[in-house]
C-alpha cells in the first residue's frame, strides 16, 4: 500500500497490490472509435473465446437502438458496440493523401428531406480495468483481484454473488448472472495473456480500432493519433480514461471518442467511490457515538 | 406554467438512448431495507439491554438481549438471501478488507450475532450469568457499529444518491436504531403489562427521533441535484411519511404509561417510520442510478 492506494496516480498498480518486482508490465486496451466500423467482431470473438452464455438465445431481441441489440455491457456481454446516429449538415470523410497525411473532405452523404445527413458514431466499450477499481475495493470476499498484468478479474470459485461490485462500478460494467448467482466481467482474456496471446477482441478487430499492448506505449500512440485528428480538423476528438490524474487514476482500457462521453453512455468524469471512504468511516464513527450517547441519556440516573 | 418553472428550464443533457449509465443495484426489496432495519434494531437493543442492567432494570435487560439476538439472526437471514450464492456466505470471512464496508460489516455482524445469542440464551435460561453479562457487554460495542456501518455500505458505491449522503446515512441509521429499540421496549412493556420501565424507552424514542428526523431533515434540505430523489418520487414521499410517523410515534410514547393502546400505537409508528425510511433510501438510490441525468449532470458540474 502506498499513499495513493485509494486515489490519485499510481505508477505500479500491480506492485501496489503486492506483486514483487519483476512482474509483467501493465497492459491495456486503446479503443480508437474513429476507425470502428461497427462489425461487432469483438463482441463475437469475446463470446466465443470466453464461452459466454446467452440465456435469451431463442428470442429475437431488437432494441430499436440503431444496430445495437446488445444494449449494454453485462455479465454475458464483455464487449459492447454502441451505435449513435446523429443528424449533421455534412459528414466528414477522412482519408490519406499521397504523403500519408490525414485529410478531411466533406461529403453530403445521403441527406434527408430537410437536408440533414446522418453521422454514425460507433464505439466498442469494455471494462476499464481501472487503476482505482471500485469493484475491487468493495469486494468483501476477495473474489475480485488485481492480476500481475495490472488488470482486474473475478475469481468465480470465490465470488458469493453479494453484488456489491455491481453498485460500486462507476461505469456500470460488472453485473451478476441471475441464473448462476455470481458476478462476471471482462478478464482482458487473462488466460490468453498468460499464454502470451493478445485478447480475443483485439485479435479479431479488423480495423485495429481495438489495440492491445503495454499501457504506457498505448498512451503515447493515442496522443499521436489525437494530435493527427486535431490537425486534420476533427476538433471534437478527445481521449477518455487516458489521464492518470483523473478520478479513477486512469483506465487500463481507454478510448478515443468523437463526442461527449455521455453520448456513448459513459460517465463524463467518474470518481472511484473509495476516495471518500476515510470521511465515510468518520461519519459512521460519529453516528455510532451518537447511538451510545442516546442510550446513555435515556438511562441516565438509577431507577427511581 | 408557473413563473418558477419558466425560470428553471429543464437542463439539457445527452445520453445513450436514455439508458442508465450505472447498473441499477441488484439489492432488492424487501431484503435490503429489512436488513438495514433489523441490524440497527439489534444494535441499539443490545446497548439498551446493557444500560438497563447497569441501572437495575431486569425486565428491560431481558427485552434488550432477546430482541438483539432475534433481530440479528433475522437480519443475517435477509442478508444471506440477498447473495447470489447464499451457501457461500462464509466466503465473507476469507478476508478482512478495510476498503470493503461489507467485509467489515460481515465481521461485525458475525461477532454481534454470536455475542447477542449468548447473552440472550443466558438471560432466558438463567444459566452462566457472568458469561452472559460479559457477552452482553461485548455486544454493547458491536451494536453501535452494526447500526452505523450500513451508512458506509451504501455510501461507498457509485450510486449518486447514496454516495453523496455519506454524512446523513449513518446518522439516519443510528437514529433509527434508537427509535426501533424504543419501539421494542414500549411494545414489550405494553404486552406484558409491566409498565415500570417505560420511561427509558420514552426518552430513547425522543432522542432517537431527534437524531433520525434530524438526518432526514438534512437530506431534505439539500439542494444538490443528486439529492433530488429524496425530495421527489417514491423516495421523497416515503421519507415524508417516515418522518411524520417517527415524530408522532415519539410523542405518542409519552402517553404509554396511561394507555397500553397508546404504547402499542407508538411502537408501531416508531418501527414503521424507521422501516419506511429504509425503503425511501433504497428507492432514492435506485432512482438515482436509473436516470442517467444524475450521473451526467453531477459529474459535468465537477470542476
Ligand atoms: S470499469 Fe468497473 S468493473 Fe471494470 S475495473 Fe473499473 S470498477 Fe471494476
Ligand atoms: S458479487 Fe462477487 S465479485 Fe462482486 S463484490 Fe460480491 S463477492 Fe466480490
Amino acid at each position: 500500500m502506498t499513499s495513493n492506494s485509494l486515489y490519485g496516480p499510481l505508477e505500479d498498480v500491480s506492485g501496489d497490490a503486492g506483486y514483487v518486482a519483476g512482474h509483467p508490465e501493465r497492459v491495456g486496451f486503446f479503443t480508437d472509435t474513429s476507425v470502428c466500423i461497427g462489425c461487432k467482431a469483438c463482441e463475437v470473438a469475446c463470446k466465443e473465446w470466453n464461452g459466454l452464455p446467452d440465456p435469451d438465445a431463442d428470442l429475437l431481441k431488437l432494441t430499436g437502438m440503431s444496430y445495437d441489440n446488445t444494449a449494454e455491457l453485462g455479465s454475458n456481454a464483455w464487449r459492447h458496440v454502441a451505435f449513435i446516429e446523429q443528424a449533421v449538415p455534412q459528414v466528414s470523410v477522412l482519408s490519406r493523401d499521397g504523403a500519408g497525411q490525414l485529410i478531411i473532405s466533406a461529403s453530403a452523404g445521403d441527406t434527408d428531406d430537410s437536408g440533414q445527413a446522418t453521422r454514425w458514431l460507433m464505439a466498442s466499450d469494455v471494462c476499464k480495468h481501472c487503476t482505482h477499481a471500485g469493484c475491487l475495493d468493495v469486494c468483501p470476499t476477495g473474489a475480485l483481484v488485481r492480476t500481475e498484468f495490472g488488470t482486474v478479474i473475478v475469481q468465480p470459485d470465490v465470488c458469493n454473488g453479494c453484488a456489491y461490485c455491481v453498485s460500486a462500478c462507476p461505469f456500470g460494467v460488472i453485473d451478476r448472472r441471475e441464473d448462476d448467482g455470481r458476478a462476471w466481467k471482462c478478464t482482458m482474456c487473462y488466460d490468453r495473456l498468460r499464454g502470451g496471446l493478445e485478447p480475443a477482441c483485439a485479435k479479431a478487430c479488423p480495423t485495429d480500432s481495438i489495440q492491445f499492448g503495454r499501457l504506457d506505449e498505448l498512451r503515447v500512440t493515442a496522443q499521436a493519433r489525437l494530435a493527427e485528428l486535431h490537425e486534420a480538423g476533427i476538433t471534437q476528438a478527445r481521449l477518455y480514461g487516458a489521464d492518470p490524474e483523473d478520478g479513477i487514476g486512469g483506465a487500463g482500457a481507454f478510448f478515443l471518442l468523437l463526442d461527449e462521453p455521455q453520448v456513448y453512455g459513459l460517465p463524463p468524469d467518474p470518481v472511484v467511490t473509495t476516495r471518500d471512504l476515510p470521511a465515510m468511516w468518520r461519519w459512521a464513527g460519529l453516528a455510532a457515538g451518537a447511538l451510545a450517547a442516546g442510550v446513555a441519556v435515556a438511562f441516565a440516573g438509577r431507577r427511581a | 406554467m408557473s413563473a418558477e418553472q419558466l425560470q428553471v428550464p429543464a437542463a439539457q443533457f445527452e445520453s445513450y438512448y436514455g439508458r442508465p449509465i450505472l447498473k441499477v443495484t441488484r439489492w432488492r426489496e424487501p431484503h435490503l431495507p429489512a436488513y438495514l432495519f433489523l441490524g440497527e434494531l439489534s444494535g441499539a437493543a443490545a446497548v439498551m439491554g446493557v444500560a438497563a442492567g447497569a441501572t437495575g432494570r431486569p425486565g428491560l435487560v431481558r427485552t434488550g438481549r432477546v430482541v438483539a439476538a432475534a433481530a440479528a439472526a433475522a437480519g443475517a437471514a435477509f442478508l444471506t438471501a440477498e447473495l447470489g450464492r447464499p451457501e457461500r456466505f462464509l466466503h465473507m470471512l476469507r478476508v478482512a478488507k478495510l476498503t470493503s464496508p461489507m467485509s467489515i460489516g460481515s465481521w461485525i455482524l458475525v461477532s454481534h450475532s454470536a455475542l447477542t445469542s449468548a447473552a440472550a440464551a443466558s438471560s432466558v435460561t438463567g444459566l452462566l450469568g457472568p458469561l452472559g453479562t460479559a457477552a452482553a457487554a461485548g455486544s454493547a460495542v458491536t451494536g453501535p457499529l452494526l447500526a452505523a456501518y450500513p451508512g458506509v455500505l451504501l455510501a461507498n458505491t457509485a450510486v449518486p444518491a447514496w454516495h453523496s449522503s455519506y454524512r446523513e446515512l449513518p446518522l439516519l441509521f443510528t437514529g433509527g436504531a434508537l427509535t426501533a429499540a424504543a419501539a421494542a421496549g414500549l411494545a414489550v412493556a405494553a404486552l406484558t403489562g409491566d409498565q415500570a420501565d417505560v420511561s427509558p424507552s420514552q426518552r430513547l424514542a425522543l432522542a432517537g427521533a431527534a437524531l433520525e428526523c434530524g438526518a432526514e431533515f438534512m437530506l431534505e434540505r439539500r439542494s444538490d441535484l443528486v439529492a433530488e430523489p429524496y425530495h421527489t418520487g417514491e423516495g421523497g414521499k416515503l421519507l415524508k411519511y417516515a418522518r411524520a410517523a417517527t415524530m408522532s410515534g415519539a410523542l405518542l410514547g409519552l402517553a404509554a404509561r396511561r394507555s397500553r393502546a397508546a404504547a402499542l400505537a407508538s411502537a408501531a409508528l416508531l418501527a414503521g417510520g424507521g422501516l419506511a425510511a429504509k425503503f425511501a433510501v433504497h428507492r432514492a438510490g435506485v432512482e438515482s442510478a436509473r436516470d442517467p441525468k444524475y450521473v451526467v449532470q453531477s459529474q459535468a458540474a465537477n470542476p
Side-chain angles (χ1 to χ4, degrees), chain A residues 135 138-144 154 158-166 174 183:
Chain A
C135 63
V138 304
C139 176
T141 63
L144 273 155
V154 189
V158 177
C159 172
N160 69 9
C162 74
Y164 203 178
C165 53
V166 177
I174 193 167

Side-chain angles (χ1 to χ4, degrees), chain B residues 270-298:
Chain B
L270 289 168
L275 201 50
K278 307 300 150 338
F279 277 90
V281 168
H282 181 248
R283 293 199 186 172
V286 166
E287 178 57 23
S288 73
R290 180 175 286 145
D291 189 335
K293 82 175 178 188
Y294 295 112
V295 173
V296 172
Q297 291 183 5
S298 62

Side-chain angles (χ1 to χ4, degrees), chain A residues 280-296 298, chain B residues 35-48 108 140-152 154 165-183 203-216 218-219 246 270 273-275 277-278 281:
Chain A
M280 294 179 199
W281 282 121
R282 279 197 292 277
W283 279 84
L286 180 78
L291 191 165
V295 176
Chain B
Y35 171 69
L36 295 174
F37 178 75
L38 291 163
E40 66 189 23
L41 167 62
S42 173
V47 186
M48 178 173 86
I108 297 174
V141 176
T142 53
L145 302 178
L146 183 67
Y149 99 84
V152 189
L154 296 190
S165 306
Y166 64 81
R167 299 173 188 84
E168 296 91 343
L169 291 180
L171 295 170
L172 179 69
F173 295 161
T174 54
L178 294 174
T179 53
R203 289 196 293 265
L204 212 51
L206 291 172
L211 192 55
E212 193 173 11
C213 296
E216 285 161 4
M218 280 167 74
L219 282 174
T246 301
L270 289 168
L275 201 50
K278 307 300 150 338
V281 168

Side-chain angles (χ1 to χ4, degrees), chain A residues 224-245:
Chain A
R225 174 65 179 168
L226 181 70
E228 190 182 41
L229 286 169
H230 280 173
E231 208 165 301
I234 310 290
T235 51
Q236 315 98 308
R238 74 206 63 199
L239 297 183
Y240 178 81
D243 183 3
E245 303 277 344

Side-chain angles (χ1 to χ4, degrees), chain A residues 127-130 133-135 152 169-171 173-174 185:
Chain A
C127 167
K128 315 303 176 287
H129 295 275
C130 308
C135 63
V152 178
C169 170
F171 300 94
V173 169
I174 193 167
K185 74 169 192 72

Side-chain angles (χ1 to χ4, degrees), chain A residues 68 73 83 136-139 141 156 158-162 164 167 172 175-176 180 269 273 276 287 298 302-303, chain B residues 16-17 23 25-27 54 82 84-85 88 91 94-95 97 99-100 153 156-158 163 174 196 203 299:
Chain A
D68 177 6
L73 290 172
F83 290 74
L136 192 162
D137 283 346
V138 304
C139 176
T141 63
V158 177
C159 172
N160 69 9
C162 74
Y164 203 178
S167 289
D175 202 2
R176 190 167 72 186
D180 143 302
D269 188 15
T273 176
D276 302 322
R302 288 193 77 79
R303 190 175 174 183
Chain B
Y16 187 64
Y17 300 95
K23 288 278 175 285
T25 176
R26 289 272 174 197
W27 295 336
E82 269 285 63
R85 289 284 176 100
R88 291 187 177 178
H91 285 204
R94 281 179 80 241
V95 289
K97 272 173 80 175
T99 58
S100 172
L153 178 79
N156 198 31
T157 60
H163 182 86
T174 54
R203 289 196 293 265
Q299 294 184 4

